[in-house]
Amino acid sequence: MSEPTLSFERDVKPLFREKDRASMSKAFDLWSAADVAAHGEAIAGRLRDGSMPCDGPWPAEQIETFTRWLDADARP
Ligand code: HEM
């Protein structure tokens, strides 16, 4: 049985708060699947090393959802 397909709109976008989007808007748009995919490795790196978000790291489960979406095919 394969894992269910992850969707940006349904599964990933809701993980980014308005505050995250606003804080990072000069670098990329965290509510845009295309932008997040384009900066996916940098974003995944910061999530994994715990340096982003600036006010506290994500739980492992959220990081896993993000990297699974990115590694699959980063679909909208
Ligand atoms: C899940 C949410 C967030 C993600 C995925 C994220 C991701 C990133 C990434 C990938 C960079 C490096 C950008 C580059 O070098 O071009 C970065 C830098 C930065 N972020 Fe965020 N960010 C998030 C939330 C926030 C929040 C809430 C703040 C604080 C208000 C913040 C403040 C900054 C600052 C000040 C930098 C530049 C300094 C540095 O590189 O550490 N970010 N972020």
Coordinates of all heavy atoms in Angstrom, one line a residue:
M1 N 0.9 -1.2 0.0 CA 0.0 0.0 0.0 C 0.9 1.2 0.0 O 1.7 1.4 0.9 CB -0.9 0.0 1.3 CG -1.9 -1.0 1.2 SD -3.4 -0.4 0.5 CE -4.2 0.3 2.0
S2 N 0.7 2.1 -1.0 CA 1.5 3.3 -1.0 C 0.8 4.4 -0.2 O -0.4 4.4 0.1 CB 1.7 3.8 -2.4 OG 0.4 4.1 -3.0
E3 N 1.6 5.4 0.3 CA 1.1 6.5 1.0 C 0.2 7.3 0.1 O 0.4 7.4 -1.1 CB 2.3 7.4 1.4 CG 3.3 6.7 2.3 CD 3.0 6.8 3.8 OE1 2.0 7.5 4.1 OE2 3.7 6.1 4.6
P4 N -0.9 7.9 0.7 CA -1.7 8.7 -0.1 C -1.0 10.0 -0.6 O -0.1 10.4 0.0 CB -2.8 9.2 0.9 CG -2.3 8.9 2.2 CD -1.3 7.8 2.1
T5 N -1.4 10.4 -1.8 CA -0.7 11.5 -2.4 C -1.0 12.8 -1.6 O -2.1 13.0 -1.2 CB -1.3 11.7 -3.9 OG1 -1.1 10.5 -4.6 CG2 -0.6 12.9 -4.6
L6 N 0.0 13.6 -1.5 CA -0.1 14.9 -0.7 C -0.4 16.0 -1.7 O 0.2 16.1 -2.7 CB 1.1 15.1 0.1 CG 1.4 14.2 1.3 CD1 2.8 14.4 1.8 CD2 0.3 14.3 2.4
S7 N -1.2 16.9 -1.3 CA -1.5 18.1 -2.1 C -1.0 19.3 -1.3 O -1.2 19.4 -0.1 CB -3.0 18.1 -2.3 OG -3.6 19.4 -2.1
F8 N -0.5 20.3 -2.1 CA 0.0 21.5 -1.4 C -1.2 22.2 -0.8 O -1.1 22.6 0.4 CB 0.7 22.4 -2.5 CG 1.2 23.7 -1.8 CD1 2.4 23.7 -1.2 CD2 0.5 24.9 -1.9 CE1 2.9 24.8 -0.5 CE2 1.0 26.1 -1.3 CZ 2.2 26.0 -0.6
E9 N -2.2 22.5 -1.5 CA -3.4 23.2 -1.0 C -4.0 22.6 0.2 O -4.3 23.3 1.2 CB -4.5 23.4 -2.1 CG -4.0 24.3 -3.3 CD -3.8 25.7 -2.9 OE1 -4.5 26.2 -2.0 OE2 -3.0 26.4 -3.5
R10 N -4.1 21.3 0.2 CA -4.8 20.6 1.3 C -3.9 20.3 2.5 O -4.3 20.4 3.6 CB -5.4 19.3 0.8 CG -6.4 18.6 1.7 CD -6.7 17.2 1.3 NE -5.5 16.5 1.1 CZ -5.3 15.5 0.1 NH1 -6.3 15.3 -0.7 NH2 -4.2 14.9 0.0
D11 N -2.7 19.9 2.2 CA -1.8 19.3 3.2 C -0.6 20.2 3.7 O -0.2 20.1 4.8 CB -1.2 18.0 2.7 CG -2.3 17.0 2.3 OD1 -3.2 16.7 3.1 OD2 -2.3 16.5 1.2
V12 N -0.1 21.0 2.8 CA 1.1 21.7 3.1 C 0.9 23.2 3.4 O 1.3 23.7 4.4 CB 2.1 21.6 1.9 CG1 3.4 22.4 2.1 CG2 2.5 20.1 1.7
K13 N 0.1 23.9 2.5 CA -0.2 25.3 2.7 C -0.7 25.6 4.1 O -0.3 26.6 4.8 CB -1.1 25.8 1.6 CG -1.4 27.3 1.7 CD -2.3 27.7 0.5 CE -2.9 29.0 0.8 NZ -3.9 29.3 -0.3
P14 N -1.6 24.8 4.7 CA -2.2 25.1 6.0 C -1.1 25.0 7.1 O -1.3 25.5 8.2 CB -3.2 24.0 6.2 CG -3.6 23.5 4.9 CD -2.4 23.6 4.0
L15 N 0.1 24.5 6.8 CA 1.1 24.4 7.8 C 1.8 25.8 8.0 O 2.5 26.0 9.0 CB 2.2 23.4 7.5 CG 1.7 21.9 7.3 CD1 2.8 21.0 6.8 CD2 1.1 21.4 8.5
F16 N 1.7 26.6 7.0 CA 2.4 27.9 7.0 C 1.4 29.0 7.5 O 0.3 29.2 6.9 CB 2.9 28.3 5.6 CG 3.9 27.4 5.1 CD1 3.7 26.7 3.9 CD2 5.1 27.2 5.7 CE1 4.7 25.8 3.4 CE2 6.1 26.3 5.2 CZ 5.9 25.6 4.1
R17 N 1.7 29.6 8.6 CA 0.9 30.6 9.2 C 1.0 31.9 8.4 O 1.9 32.1 7.7 CB 1.3 30.9 10.7 CG 1.3 29.7 11.6 CD 2.1 30.0 12.8 NE 3.5 30.3 12.5 CZ 4.5 30.6 13.4 NH1 4.2 30.8 14.7 NH2 5.7 30.9 13.0
E18 N 0.0 32.8 8.6 CA 0.0 34.1 8.0 C 1.3 34.8 8.4 O 2.0 35.5 7.6 CB -1.2 34.9 8.5 CG -2.1 35.3 7.3 CD -3.3 36.1 7.8 OE1 -4.3 35.4 8.2 OE2 -3.3 37.3 7.8
K19 N 1.8 34.6 9.6 CA 3.0 35.2 10.1 C 4.2 34.7 9.4 O 5.1 35.5 9.1 CB 3.1 34.9 11.6 CG 4.5 35.4 12.2 CD 4.6 34.9 13.6 CE 6.0 35.3 14.1 NZ 6.2 35.3 15.6
D20 N 4.2 33.4 9.1 CA 5.3 32.8 8.3 C 5.4 33.5 6.9 O 6.5 33.8 6.4 CB 5.2 31.3 8.1 CG 5.2 30.6 9.5 OD1 6.0 31.0 10.4 OD2 4.4 29.7 9.6
R21 N 4.2 33.5 6.3 CA 4.2 34.1 4.9 C 4.6 35.5 4.9 O 5.4 35.9 4.0 CB 2.7 34.0 4.4 CG 2.6 34.4 3.0 CD 1.2 34.5 2.6 NE 1.1 34.6 1.1 CZ 0.1 35.3 0.5 NH1 -0.9 35.8 1.2 NH2 0.0 35.3 -0.8
A22 N 4.1 36.3 5.9 CA 4.5 37.7 5.9 C 6.0 37.9 6.2 O 6.7 38.7 5.5 CB 3.7 38.4 6.9
S23 N 6.5 37.1 7.1 CA 7.9 37.2 7.5 C 8.9 36.9 6.3 O 10.0 37.5 6.2 CB 8.3 36.3 8.6 OG 7.4 36.6 9.7
M24 N 8.5 36.0 5.5 CA 9.3 35.5 4.4 C 9.0 36.0 3.0 O 9.6 35.6 2.0 CB 9.3 33.9 4.3 CG 9.8 33.2 5.6 SD 11.3 33.8 6.2 CE 12.4 33.7 4.8
S25 N 8.1 37.0 3.0 CA 7.6 37.4 1.6 C 8.6 38.0 0.7 O 8.5 38.0 -0.5 CB 6.4 38.3 1.8 OG 6.8 39.5 2.5
K26 N 9.7 38.6 1.3 CA 10.7 39.2 0.5 C 11.5 38.1 -0.2 O 12.1 38.3 -1.3 CB 11.7 40.0 1.3 CG 11.1 41.3 1.8 CD 12.1 42.4 1.9 CE 11.5 43.8 2.2 NZ 11.1 43.8 3.6
A27 N 11.6 36.9 0.3 CA 12.4 35.8 -0.3 C 11.5 34.9 -1.2 O 11.9 34.5 -2.2 CB 13.0 34.9 0.8
F28 N 10.3 34.5 -0.7 CA 9.4 33.7 -1.4 C 8.0 33.7 -0.8 O 7.8 34.2 0.3 CB 9.9 32.2 -1.5 CG 10.5 31.8 -0.2 CD1 9.7 31.5 0.9 CD2 11.9 31.6 -0.1 CE1 10.3 31.1 2.1 CE2 12.5 31.1 1.1 CZ 11.7 30.9 2.2
D29 N 7.0 33.2 -1.6 CA 5.6 33.2 -1.1 C 5.3 31.8 -0.6 O 5.2 30.8 -1.3 CB 4.7 33.6 -2.2 CG 3.2 33.6 -1.8 OD1 2.9 33.3 -0.6 OD2 2.4 34.0 -2.6
L30 N 5.2 31.7 0.8 CA 4.9 30.3 1.4 C 3.6 29.8 1.1 O 3.3 28.6 1.4 CB 5.2 30.4 2.9 CG 6.7 30.4 3.3 CD1 6.8 30.6 4.8 CD2 7.4 29.1 2.9
W31 N 2.7 30.6 0.5 CA 1.4 30.1 0.1 C 1.3 29.8 -1.4 O 0.2 29.6 -1.9 CB 0.3 31.1 0.5 CG 0.0 31.1 2.0 CD1 0.7 30.3 3.0 CD2 -0.9 31.9 2.8 NE1 0.2 30.6 4.2 CE2 -0.7 31.6 4.1 CE3 -1.8 32.9 2.4 CZ2 -1.5 32.2 5.1 CZ3 -2.6 33.5 3.4 CH2 -2.4 33.2 4.7
S32 N 2.4 29.8 -2.1 CA 2.4 29.5 -3.5 C 3.2 28.1 -3.7 O 4.4 28.0 -3.3 CB 3.1 30.6 -4.3 OG 3.8 30.1 -5.4
A33 N 2.5 27.2 -4.3 CA 3.1 25.8 -4.5 C 4.4 26.0 -5.3 O 5.4 25.3 -5.1 CB 2.1 24.9 -5.1
A34 N 4.3 26.8 -6.4 CA 5.4 26.9 -7.3 C 6.6 27.5 -6.6 O 7.8 27.1 -6.8 CB 5.0 27.8 -8.5
D35 N 6.4 28.6 -5.8 CA 7.5 29.2 -5.1 C 8.1 28.3 -4.0 O 9.3 28.2 -3.9 CB 6.9 30.5 -4.4 CG 7.5 31.8 -4.9 OD1 7.9 31.8 -6.1 OD2 7.6 32.7 -4.1
V36 N 7.2 27.6 -3.3 CA 7.7 26.7 -2.3 C 8.5 25.6 -2.9 O 9.6 25.2 -2.4 CB 6.6 26.2 -1.4 CG1 7.0 25.1 -0.4 CG2 6.0 27.4 -0.6
A37 N 8.0 25.0 -4.0 CA 8.8 24.0 -4.7 C 10.1 24.5 -5.2 O 11.1 23.8 -5.0 CB 8.0 23.4 -5.9
A38 N 10.2 25.7 -5.7 CA 11.4 26.3 -6.2 C 12.4 26.5 -5.1 O 13.6 26.3 -5.4 CB 11.1 27.6 -7.0
H39 N 12.0 26.8 -3.9 CA 12.9 27.0 -2.8 C 12.8 25.8 -1.8 O 13.2 25.9 -0.7 CB 12.5 28.3 -2.1 CG 12.7 29.5 -2.9 ND1 13.9 30.2 -3.0 CD2 11.8 30.1 -3.8 CE1 13.7 31.2 -3.8 NE2 12.5 31.2 -4.3
G40 N 12.4 24.7 -2.3 CA 12.1 23.5 -1.5 C 13.2 23.0 -0.6 O 13.1 22.7 0.5
E41 N 14.4 22.9 -1.3 CA 15.6 22.4 -0.5 C 16.0 23.3 0.6 O 16.3 22.9 1.7 CB 16.7 22.1 -1.4 CG 16.5 20.9 -2.4 CD 16.0 19.6 -1.6 OE1 16.5 19.4 -0.5 OE2 15.1 18.9 -2.2
A42 N 16.0 24.6 0.3 CA 16.3 25.6 1.4 C 15.3 25.6 2.5 O 15.7 25.6 3.7 CB 16.4 27.0 0.8
I43 N 14.0 25.5 2.1 CA 13.0 25.5 3.2 C 13.1 24.2 4.0 O 13.1 24.2 5.2 CB 11.6 25.6 2.5 CG1 11.4 27.0 1.9 CG2 10.5 25.2 3.5 CD1 10.2 27.2 1.0
A44 N 13.3 23.0 3.3 CA 13.4 21.8 4.1 C 14.6 21.8 5.0 O 14.5 21.3 6.1 CB 13.5 20.6 3.1
G45 N 15.7 22.4 4.5 CA 16.9 22.4 5.3 C 16.7 23.2 6.6 O 17.1 22.8 7.7
R46 N 16.0 24.4 6.5 CA 15.7 25.2 7.7 C 14.7 24.5 8.6 O 14.8 24.7 9.8 CB 15.2 26.6 7.3 CG 16.2 27.4 6.5 CD 17.4 27.7 7.3 NE 18.2 28.8 6.8 CZ 18.3 30.0 7.4 NH1 17.7 30.2 8.5 NH2 18.9 30.9 6.8
L47 N 13.7 23.9 8.0 CA 12.8 23.1 8.9 C 13.5 22.0 9.7 O 13.3 21.9 10.9 CB 11.6 22.6 8.1 CG 10.7 23.6 7.4 CD1 9.7 22.8 6.5 CD2 9.9 24.4 8.4
R48 N 14.4 21.3 9.0 CA 15.1 20.2 9.6 C 16.1 20.7 10.7 O 16.2 20.0 11.7 CB 15.8 19.4 8.6 CG 15.0 18.3 7.9 CD 15.9 17.3 7.2 NE 15.3 16.8 6.0 CZ 15.6 17.3 4.8 NH1 16.5 18.2 4.6 NH2 15.0 16.8 3.7
D49 N 16.8 21.8 10.4 CA 17.8 22.2 11.4 C 17.1 23.0 12.5 O 17.8 23.5 13.4 CB 19.0 22.9 10.7 CG 18.7 24.3 10.2 OD1 17.7 24.9 10.6 OD2 19.5 24.8 9.5
G50 N 15.8 23.3 12.4 CA 15.1 23.9 13.5 C 15.3 25.4 13.5 O 14.8 26.1 14.4
S51 N 15.9 26.0 12.5 CA 16.2 27.5 12.5 C 15.0 28.3 12.0 O 14.9 29.5 12.1 CB 17.5 27.8 11.8 OG 17.3 27.5 10.4
M52 N 14.1 27.6 11.3 CA 12.8 28.2 10.8 C 11.7 27.3 11.1 O 11.8 26.1 11.0 CB 12.9 28.5 9.3 CG 13.8 29.6 8.9 SD 13.1 31.2 9.4 CE 14.6 32.1 9.8
P53 N 10.5 27.9 11.5 CA 10.2 29.3 11.8 C 11.1 29.8 12.9 O 11.6 29.1 13.7 CB 8.7 29.3 12.2 CG 8.2 27.9 11.8 CD 9.3 27.0 11.8
C54 N 11.2 31.2 12.9 CA 12.1 31.9 13.8 C 11.7 31.7 15.3 O 12.5 32.0 16.2 CB 12.2 33.3 13.5 SG 10.7 34.2 13.8
D55 N 10.4 31.4 15.5 CA 9.9 31.4 16.9 C 9.6 30.0 17.4 O 8.9 29.8 18.4 CB 8.6 32.2 17.0 CG 7.5 31.8 16.0 OD1 7.8 30.9 15.1 OD2 6.4 32.2 16.0
G56 N 10.2 29.0 16.8 CA 10.1 27.6 17.3 C 10.0 26.6 16.2 O 9.3 26.8 15.3
P57 N 10.7 25.5 16.4 CA 10.7 24.5 15.3 C 9.4 23.7 15.2 O 8.6 23.7 16.1 CB 11.8 23.5 15.8 CG 11.9 23.7 17.3 CD 11.5 25.1 17.6
W58 N 9.2 23.2 14.0 CA 8.0 22.4 13.7 C 8.2 21.0 14.4 O 9.3 20.5 14.5 CB 7.9 22.2 12.2 CG 7.2 23.2 11.4 CD1 6.8 24.4 11.9 CD2 6.8 23.1 10.1 NE1 6.2 25.1 10.8 CE2 6.2 24.3 9.7 CE3 6.9 22.1 9.1 CZ2 5.7 24.6 8.4 CZ3 6.4 22.4 7.8 CH2 5.8 23.6 7.5
P59 N 7.0 20.4 14.7 CA 7.1 19.0 15.1 C 7.5 18.1 14.0 O 7.3 18.5 12.8 CB 5.6 18.7 15.6 CG 4.8 19.8 15.1 CD 5.7 21.0 14.8
A60 N 8.1 17.0 14.3 CA 8.7 16.1 13.3 C 7.6 15.7 12.3 O 7.9 15.6 11.1 CB 9.3 14.9 14.0
E61 N 6.4 15.5 12.7 CA 5.4 15.0 11.8 C 5.1 16.1 10.7 O 4.9 15.7 9.5 CB 4.1 14.8 12.6 CG 3.0 14.1 11.9 CD 1.7 14.1 12.7 OE1 1.7 13.8 13.9 OE2 0.7 14.4 12.1
Q62 N 5.1 17.4 11.0 CA 4.9 18.4 10.0 C 6.1 18.4 9.0 O 5.9 18.6 7.8 CB 4.8 19.8 10.6 CG 3.4 20.0 11.2 CD 3.2 21.4 11.8 OE1 2.5 21.6 12.7 NE2 3.9 22.4 11.3
I63 N 7.3 18.3 9.5 CA 8.5 18.3 8.6 C 8.4 17.1 7.7 O 8.7 17.2 6.5 CB 9.8 18.2 9.5 CG1 9.8 19.4 10.4 CG2 11.0 18.2 8.6 CD1 11.0 19.4 11.4
E64 N 7.9 16.0 8.2 CA 7.8 14.8 7.4 C 6.8 15.0 6.3 O 7.0 14.6 5.1 CB 7.4 13.6 8.3 CG 6.6 12.5 7.6 CD 7.2 11.1 7.6 OE1 8.0 10.9 8.6 OE2 6.8 10.3 6.8
T65 N 5.6 15.6 6.6 CA 4.6 15.9 5.6 C 5.2 16.8 4.5 O 5.1 16.6 3.3 CB 3.4 16.6 6.2 OG1 2.8 15.7 7.2 CG2 2.4 17.0 5.2
F66 N 6.0 17.8 4.9 CA 6.6 18.7 3.9 C 7.5 18.0 3.0 O 7.5 18.2 1.8 CB 7.2 19.9 4.6 CG 7.8 20.9 3.6 CD1 7.0 21.8 3.0 CD2 9.2 20.8 3.3 CE1 7.6 22.7 2.0 CE2 9.7 21.6 2.3 CZ 8.9 22.6 1.7
T67 N 8.4 17.3 3.6 CA 9.5 16.6 2.8 C 8.9 15.5 1.9 O 9.3 15.3 0.8 CB 10.6 16.1 3.6 OG1 10.1 15.2 4.7 CG2 11.4 17.2 4.3
R68 N 7.8 14.9 2.4 CA 7.2 13.9 1.6 C 6.5 14.5 0.4 O 6.6 14.0 -0.7 CB 6.2 13.1 2.4 CG 5.9 11.7 2.0 CD 5.6 10.7 3.1 NE 4.4 11.1 3.8 CZ 3.1 11.0 3.4 NH1 2.9 10.5 2.2 NH2 2.1 11.3 4.1
W69 N 5.9 15.7 0.6 CA 5.3 16.4 -0.5 C 6.4 16.8 -1.5 O 6.3 16.6 -2.7 CB 4.5 17.6 0.0 CG 4.1 18.5 -1.1 CD1 3.0 18.3 -2.0 CD2 4.7 19.7 -1.6 NE1 2.9 19.4 -2.9 CE2 3.9 20.2 -2.6 CE3 5.8 20.5 -1.1 CZ2 4.3 21.4 -3.3 CZ3 6.1 21.7 -1.7 CH2 5.4 22.1 -2.8
L70 N 7.5 17.4 -1.0 CA 8.5 17.9 -1.9 C 9.2 16.7 -2.6 O 9.4 16.9 -3.8 CB 9.6 18.6 -1.0 CG 10.7 19.3 -1.7 CD1 10.1 20.5 -2.5 CD2 11.8 19.8 -0.7
D71 N 9.4 15.6 -2.0 CA 10.2 14.5 -2.6 C 9.3 13.8 -3.6 O 9.8 13.1 -4.5 CB 10.7 13.5 -1.5 CG 11.8 14.1 -0.7 OD1 12.3 15.2 -1.1 OD2 12.1 13.5 0.3
A72 N 8.0 13.8 -3.4 CA 7.1 13.1 -4.3 C 7.1 13.8 -5.7 O 8.0 13.6 -6.5 CB 5.7 13.0 -3.8
D73 N 6.2 14.8 -5.8 CA 6.4 15.6 -7.1 C 5.9 17.0 -6.9 O 5.7 17.7 -7.8 CB 5.6 14.9 -8.2 CG 4.2 14.6 -7.8 OD1 3.8 15.0 -6.7 OD2 3.5 14.1 -8.7
A74 N 5.8 17.4 -5.6 CA 5.5 18.8 -5.3 C 4.3 19.3 -6.0 O 4.3 20.4 -6.6 CB 6.7 19.7 -5.5
R75 N 3.2 18.5 -6.1 CA 2.1 18.9 -6.9 C 1.2 20.0 -6.1 O 1.3 20.0 -4.9 CB 1.3 17.7 -7.3 CG 0.5 17.1 -6.2 CD -0.3 15.9 -6.6 NE 0.6 14.8 -7.0 CZ 0.2 13.9 -8.0 NH1 -0.9 14.0 -8.6 NH2 1.1 12.9 -8.3
P76 N 0.5 20.8 -6.9 CA -0.3 21.8 -6.3 C -1.4 21.2 -5.4 O -1.8 21.8 -4.5 CB -1.0 22.6 -7.5 CG -0.3 22.1 -8.7 CD 0.4 20.8 -8.4
Ligands
HEM1 C1 7.6 27.7 8.3 C2 7.9 29.0 8.3 C3 9.2 29.5 7.7 C4 10.1 28.9 6.8 C5 9.9 27.6 6.0 C6 11.2 29.8 6.6 C7 12.3 29.6 5.7 C8 13.4 30.4 5.6 C9 14.5 30.2 4.7 C10 14.6 29.0 3.7 C11 15.3 31.2 4.8 C12 16.6 31.4 4.0 C13 16.3 32.3 2.9 C14 17.4 32.7 2.0 O1 18.5 32.5 2.4 O2 17.1 33.1 0.8 C15 14.8 32.1 5.9 C16 15.5 33.2 6.3 C17 14.9 34.1 7.3 N1 13.7 33.9 8.0 FE1 12.4 32.4 7.7 N2 11.0 30.9 7.4 C18 9.9 30.7 8.1 C19 9.3 31.6 9.1 C20 10.0 32.7 9.6 C21 9.5 33.5 10.7 C22 8.2 33.3 11.4 C23 10.4 34.5 10.9 C24 10.4 35.6 11.9 C25 9.7 36.6 12.0 C26 11.4 34.3 9.9 C27 12.5 35.2 9.7 C28 13.6 35.0 8.9 C29 14.8 35.8 8.8 C30 15.0 37.1 9.6 C31 15.6 35.3 7.8 C32 17.0 35.8 7.3 C33 18.0 35.5 8.3 C34 18.4 34.0 8.2 O3 18.8 33.5 7.2 O4 18.3 33.3 9.3 N3 11.1 33.2 9.1 N4 13.6 31.6 6.3

